[in-house]
Amino acid sequence: GKGEIKNDQISKGILYYTISTSGGNSGSPVMVGEQGKEIAVGIHVSGFDDKNVAKAIDDDVIAAISNFK
């Protein structure tokens, strides 16, 4: 689905959004449009009736990914 993540929906590396998701979306990228490109900013982790939750792709996530061999 498409929607918007506002600054007030970001807290301590967690993104909250009301974009519609369905079961099995955990691990999917959360994308935003930036300067005409789609950029992954989070990893979907959970969905609830009133909101969805993603872990922001931050320096800790990038460091963890870079440690995979």
Side-chain angles (χ1 to χ4, degrees):
K2 290 192 175 211
E4 190 174 357
I5 300 171
K6 300 178 177 97
N7 285 338
D8 65 348
Q9 296 172 308
I10 302 169
S11 176
K12 298 180 183 174
I14 303 296
L15 310 174
Y16 301 95
Y17 47 97
T18 56
I19 302 165
S20 178
T21 61
S22 60
N25 279 340
S26 292
S28 297
V30 175
M31 311 288 287
V32 298
E34 185 70 31
Q35 299 176 351
K37 297 179 183 178
E38 293 288 318
I39 299 170
V41 295
I43 301 165
H44 180 78
V45 294
S46 189
F48 300 96
D49 288 340
D50 62 337
K51 65 185 168 192
N52 293 295
V53 181
K55 170 67 178 110
I57 298 175
D58 56 16
D59 290 339
D60 292 335
V61 171
I62 292 169
I65 292 170
S66 68
N67 286 328
F68 286 109
K69 299 188 189 252

